[in-house]
Amino acid sequence: MEVSELDFHSVFGLLHAGSAPGLSSEDLASRISSCVQTVTNTDDTCLSLSLIESVISRLAAHSFTADAAVYYQDVIRRLFTERNLMAKLVSLLSCQDKLVSHFSAKCMSVYVIKELGIAGLSSCMWTDACAAVLERSVSGCELDSCLWSVTAVIKGVLKADMGQNKRALDSSITHLYRNLLPLSTKDPHSTDMKCVCKSMSEFIELLEALNAARLRHGLSSSAQRLSFTLCSSLLHVIRTDVEYVVKKRVLLLLKKSVLRRAGDDWALGDVRSASGEDLSLTEDLLSMADTVLQEVNAGWLKEVPVKAQASFFGGNCDVDGTMKKDDVILRAVSLILLKSLEIKMKSLGQQGSAGEIEAQQYLTELMLFLQRHVSLDSHRCCWVSALFAEQDDDMMEATNTLMALYLYQKRSCSDSGVCVWGFNPHCLFILLLRSLSFDHSVLLDFLISSETCFLEYFVRYLKLLWQDWTGLCRSSQHIEDGGGDAKRGSDLSIPASSAAAAVPCGESATGNQVETALVSRLVDYGSSDESEEADAVDCGASVMLVEESLLGKVLACLMDLRTAVSRLYNRGLFPYNPSSLLKLLNGVESQRNRLR
């Protein structure tokens, strides 16, 4: 059978059926090798490379019968041992045909992952070739395919939980980092980087894979620290003349890094616990936070581009015809700054100097950044539930971080004016519940799920509520009077409710005056001359109106949640012991009874 007569499509059909073709393993290996060695027909070459990849992948997945597995194992052995296929695949990385270059990278990657799983060692030829390409740092098909291959190997190793990392490529990756990304702010706009956009995108993916490996297996190479210790280079990309999508990917990488979420989208398994993490991660996160805050002080936020939101089936316009902005960018920038602030404040707090940094300064910069792209509600605390409404995990991160910032700054200054900077914890909690239509079942899902940090945030807030009950009453009254109009699913283009709504909650009455005012404004009790029957009606009406108020809805939601958690726990259906949580919720009920 001639090479041209070999029908790769029929071989693929047999492959997916789990059976072997009717020719010897030596013949199949010979014909595949011939197509790869001489790239005369691009289609045949790509089919051959795809066939090799499929065979290795299905062998790893144990998708063949015993006889077919032996047959295909012999084909792979002949290709990579007798015919030295790896050398040819390395040479194809530089092929000008992008498909051929990419398919060769895929073949190399699955083979290297297989070898790592069997012998714990990778191909020296593959390692040396990748190191050489990274050292040259010349943008093009060869570099792009090489970066893709290294990233794919790291992902494959993580998915298989092999615990291996590529120290051999450390110096080469560091060299590429310094050559591909801008290291200085000196006239960054003069650098022509349009030609390296593809390479930069692949490199950003590699950096995330390195971070993901670090989070799951600990620090094992200096390259895994690059996006933290040389964070300024990533921030400077925003100032360069690269495509918008590259800048977006950089911001998402920074967001995932500071949130310790690298690799979350790849189903790589759980992140190591805090007790098992590498000792330098805290130091590296602080270094990243310092760099972010320095750049914000230098006006970095003014240079972050925010284009119109991509158009999907629903379009990219609001009902009023205004163009939606890219809220992915807005969320990423917000979380990068908020988490950097939290990390810095936590560090200063451990050093006994919590008051040395003013959160308000940076939150003001964030509000100004958001205002340049969207219209903010007059009650600034609405920005969280509006901006993060479509992303629950990000919304919980933002709310939890703002809670931490509030608690840190509360030690050194008063509550007055916290709504101006958009981080009044009581307003944020009320607006969160309202965005969920006060549905306790959603809160129950959050408590059970490990996909968000809601449990940590919720316990923090309930503890605060024990100490500052009047703060909840004050915020409820303020929002109910028109100080917060953001709804779940809306954008930030919300008209100002009224001039009075801009008055911070912290400047309202305090103490028992708030509770008295809240109840007294709901119902006008009758005169002392009215009958006892009329008094009973009035009291019943007051209780009803309290229940129907915003505060009443918040408390009712919490009580319903307590009942649901207790019921599940008593039946042995709750995933952990909620005793401490229930104790905090019981304290809320006692406060509720005071109003009733």
Side-chain angles (χ1 to χ4, degrees):
M1 180 185 296
E2 298 296 329
V3 173
S4 58
E5 297 175 4
L6 182 63
D7 183 1
F8 282 116
H9 292 289
S10 63
V11 176
F12 264 110
L14 293 169
L15 178 69
H16 289 294
S19 57
L23 70 163
S24 68
S25 59
E26 182 178 1
D27 285 342
L28 181 59
S30 174
R31 285 159 173 74
I32 291 175
S33 179
S34 297
C35 286
V36 175
Q37 293 292 338
T38 306
V39 187
T40 55
N41 186 312
T42 301
D43 290 344
D44 284 348
T45 302
C46 288
L47 278 172
S48 300
L49 295 172
S50 182
L51 180 61
I52 297 168
E53 181 210 352
S54 296
V55 168
I56 298 175
S57 297
R58 292 180 71 83
L59 281 171
H62 306 289
S63 301
F64 295 118
T65 61
D67 292 341
V70 171
Y71 175 86
Y72 285 115
Q73 284 171 353
D74 193 52
V75 171
I76 298 302
R77 180 189 63 79
R78 291 178 182 277
L79 283 170
F80 283 90
T81 304
E82 297 178 2
R83 300 180 182 277
N84 196 18
L85 183 64
M86 181 60 75
K88 182 58 181 177
L89 293 176
V90 167
S91 69
L92 289 179
L93 283 177
S94 58
C95 180
Q96 293 305 305
D97 189 296
K98 294 182 179 181
L99 275 178
V100 173
S101 177
H102 181 64
F103 274 114
S104 65
K106 294 182 73 175
C107 283
M108 286 194 297
S109 302
V110 294
Y111 182 76
V112 170
I113 294 170
K114 178 184 78 73
E115 291 297 294
L116 282 169
I118 295 174
L121 298 172
S122 61
S123 166
C124 292
M125 189 176 298
W126 174 81
T127 302
D128 293 344
C130 289
V133 174
L134 296 176
E135 289 282 348
R136 286 196 293 271
S137 305
V138 178
S139 183
C141 279
E142 186 177 30
L143 178 59
D144 298 344
S145 297
C146 177
L147 288 169
W148 188 94
S149 180
V150 176
T151 304
V153 169
I154 295 175
K155 288 182 181 180
V157 166
L158 289 173
K159 287 180 179 179
D161 198 21
M162 300 179 199
Q164 300 282 339
N165 284 295
K166 297 307 300 170
R167 282 182 177 271
L169 296 175
D170 264 15
S171 60
S172 302
I173 293 173
T174 302
H175 182 82
L176 178 62
Y177 192 102
R178 296 180 181 277
N179 280 276
L180 195 60
L181 302 180
L183 297 178
S184 173
T185 58
K186 295 180 180 178
D187 198 17
H189 296 286
S190 65
T191 306
D192 183 11
M193 302 188 70
K194 289 184 178 180
C195 59
V196 300
C197 287
K198 172 63 175 172
S199 298
M200 288 186 70
S201 292
E202 295 291 352
F203 191 48
I204 292 166
E205 189 88 351
L206 171 58
L207 291 175
E208 182 177 355
L210 290 169
N211 288 348
R214 178 179 187 177
L215 291 174
R216 287 156 181 82
H217 296 295
L219 180 67
S220 64
S221 68
S222 59
Q224 292 174 303
R225 303 184 66 185
L226 287 173
S227 56
F228 297 92
T229 57
L230 294 178
C231 169
S232 57
S233 296
L234 291 169
L235 292 169
H236 295 165
V237 170
I238 302 302
R239 298 186 173 100
T240 61
D241 189 22
V242 295
E243 294 177 3
Y244 180 74
V245 66
V246 176
K247 297 181 181 182
K248 188 171 183 176
R249 295 194 69 173
V250 165
L251 290 173
L252 290 176
L253 171 64
L254 290 170
K255 170 190 149 184
K256 291 178 180 179
S257 298
V258 77
L259 293 178
R260 296 184 57 190
R261 278 203 216 148
D264 273 8
D265 300 334
W266 303 336
L268 300 179
D270 295 333
V271 173
R272 291 163 64 97
S273 64
S275 60
E277 70 183 23
D278 61 272
L279 298 177
S280 61
L281 182 57
T282 300
E283 176 187 341
D284 288 351
L285 284 169
L286 180 57
S287 174
M288 172 180 277
D290 283 334
T291 303
V292 169
L293 296 180
Q294 289 169 12
E295 289 293 327
V296 169
N297 280 331
W300 179 77
L301 289 176
K302 297 177 182 177
E303 302 192 60
V304 176
V306 182
K307 291 188 176 181
Q309 183 174 297
S311 181
F312 298 106
F313 289 112
N316 60 353
C317 292
D318 286 329
V319 291
D320 61 359
T322 58
M323 191 73 69
K324 292 181 181 178
K325 288 301 185 76
D326 191 346
D327 51 5
V328 173
I329 291 283
L330 297 175
R331 287 195 292 265
V333 171
S334 299
L335 282 171
I336 291 168
L337 178 53
L338 292 178
K339 291 300 292 185
S340 296
L341 263 177
E342 181 189 18
I343 292 168
K344 183 63 176 177
M345 281 193 154
K346 185 176 181 180
S347 173
L348 292 173
Q350 292 171 346
Q351 299 169 16
S353 52
E356 292 184 5
I357 185 171
E358 290 291 336
Q360 293 89 335
Q361 170 193 346
Y362 293 97
L363 291 174
T364 298
E365 289 294 327
L366 178 58
M367 292 297 107
L368 291 174
F369 165 73
L370 294 174
Q371 278 184 319
R372 284 193 289 272
H373 303 289
V374 291
S375 298
L376 295 179
D377 189 87
S378 56
H379 185 182
R380 294 297 174 79
C381 295
C382 290
W383 76 275
V384 176
S385 55
L387 179 60
F388 292 94
E390 298 177 0
Q391 202 72 33
D392 289 338
D393 53 348
D394 283 354
M395 179 165 62
M396 293 307 150
E397 286 287 358
T399 309
N400 192 34
T401 303
L402 287 168
M403 167 69 78
L405 296 179
Y406 170 81
L407 294 175
Y408 282 126
Q409 69 86 37
K410 190 179 180 182
R411 303 171 187 172
S412 58
C413 61
S414 68
D415 287 355
S416 179
V418 289
C419 284
V420 174
W421 297 289
F423 72 131
N424 184 320
H426 299 294
C427 292
L428 292 174
F429 183 71
I430 295 168
L431 292 167
L432 169 64
L433 293 192
R434 194 171 71 173
S435 73
L436 303 174
S437 300
F438 301 99
D439 187 349
H440 74 278
S441 64
V442 179
L443 299 185
L444 184 63
D445 289 340
F446 286 158
L447 285 175
I448 294 175
S449 172
S450 60
E451 295 179 359
T452 73
C453 61
F454 179 74
L455 175 60
E456 178 187 355
Y457 160 70
F458 194 44
V459 170
R460 264 181 173 175
Y461 178 72
L462 291 177
K463 288 180 178 179
L464 172 67
L465 188 56
W466 270 47
Q467 303 168 4
D468 185 23
W469 169 255
T470 57
L472 177 65
C473 298
R474 187 166 55 238
S475 293
S476 298
Q477 182 173 349
H478 177 67
I479 294 173
E480 200 161 29
D481 286 343
D485 291 336
K487 308 290 184 184
R488 184 172 179 83
S490 67
D491 68 5
L492 293 179
S493 301
I494 306 170
S497 303
S498 65
V503 179
C505 305
E507 297 178 3
S508 301
T510 59
N512 294 329
Q513 295 175 350
V514 176
E515 296 179 29
T516 303
L518 181 64
V519 176
S520 63
R521 75 183 177 85
L522 290 175
V523 61
D524 181 14
Y525 293 103
S527 66
S528 58
D529 296 330
E530 292 177 312
S531 65
E532 292 184 3
E533 183 179 353
D535 287 340
V537 172
D538 284 341
C539 291
S542 70
V543 171
M544 182 179 298
L545 287 171
V546 169
E547 294 294 334
E548 292 176 354
S549 70
L550 185 58
L551 178 61
K553 292 178 181 178
V554 170
L555 298 180
C557 179
L558 292 177
M559 292 305 94
D560 289 342
L561 177 64
R562 186 202 60 175
T563 302
V565 171
S566 297
R567 185 184 299 115
L568 288 175
Y569 180 57
N570 292 334
R571 294 177 179 176
L573 300 176
F574 206 73
Y576 53 86
N577 188 340
S579 299
S580 299
L581 179 62
L582 290 172
K583 180 180 178 181
L584 291 170
L585 288 171
N586 287 333
V588 175
E589 183 179 26
S590 64
Q591 294 288 358
R592 181 195 187 196
N593 292 335
R594 288 177 56 193
L595 286 179
R596 300 181 68 179

